[in-house]
Structures are given as structure tokens and as C-alpha cells.
Amino acid sequence: MRLYLSKYNYASDPEAPLFQNSRKSPKPYTPISTVNIRYIFKKYLRRAEIPNFEKYSVHSARATFITEALRNNTPVEDVQRTVTHANVSTTLMYDTRSHEPEKSASFKVDY
């Protein structure tokens, strides 16, 4: 990670995009395009031999990150800042913990 950060001069400008275009660009600190992000994401899903990798997207990975961060007791405000949502309600829309029926109170009752 340090090598990557030094290669793109991230340490000298903390406001620079973390993932930058590796090709020569007329402007310094050009962020990687969303098309390239999608391509790289799919490439590594294939390499990792993830079954049905076609059904996964960068967006689904973001939703998974949000849910896992909240599941691990990260304050929602911290998650909101990390994913740069202006409103906490947007962050909570990605939280899929409520879709876990095995954690429902009805599963805890003996009939």
C-alpha cells in the first residue's frame, strides 16, 4: 500500500483520489473512471473464481461494506462519512441486516 501511495504521490496530497488513472494524463491526480473500476472489479471476481460472479457489482460490494461495518458495531455516522453520503438515511437504506430472518424474535420463541 505504501508503494502504491508513493507512486501516485498520495502522501504529498491527501486530497488526491486514492485510485488514480495509471496512464499518463494531462491533469495530475486524475481519478480512475467508473468504467475501469467496474472492469477491474469483474476481473478480480473472475480470478478469485467467485461462483456466479456476473451477479456482483461494485454497488453490491458497497452495500456489503455498509452492512458489515454496521454489523460490527461501527457507528452509523462513521459509515456515512466513509461512504460519503450526505444523509444518514441513505446509508441506512443499504443496511441489509433486517433481511436476516434467523435473527428475528420469532426464531427465539419455543412453540
Side-chain angles (χ1 to χ4, degrees), residues 13-84:
D13 184 0
E15 296 300 313
L18 181 57
F19 299 106
Q20 299 175 31
N21 192 342
S22 60
R23 297 180 188 207
K24 297 292 180 198
S25 174
K27 292 186 338 185
Y29 307 130
T30 303
I32 190 170
S33 72
T34 55
V35 170
N36 282 340
I37 290 171
R38 282 189 221 110
Y39 171 79
I40 292 166
F41 185 77
K42 294 291 186 181
K43 177 175 117 177
Y44 283 99
L45 287 174
R46 264 192 307 279
R47 279 191 186 176
E49 299 179 0
I50 303 292
N52 303 316
F53 74 90
E54 303 87 2
K55 73 178 186 175
Y56 299 104
S57 68
V58 174
H59 196 79
S60 66
R62 181 180 172 94
T64 300
F65 167 79
I66 291 169
T67 297
E68 289 303 310
L70 294 171
R71 184 177 282 130
N72 286 288
N73 301 316
T74 306
V76 69
E77 296 81 10
D78 292 347
V79 178
Q80 173 194 1
R81 265 191 306 282
T82 301
V83 297
T84 64

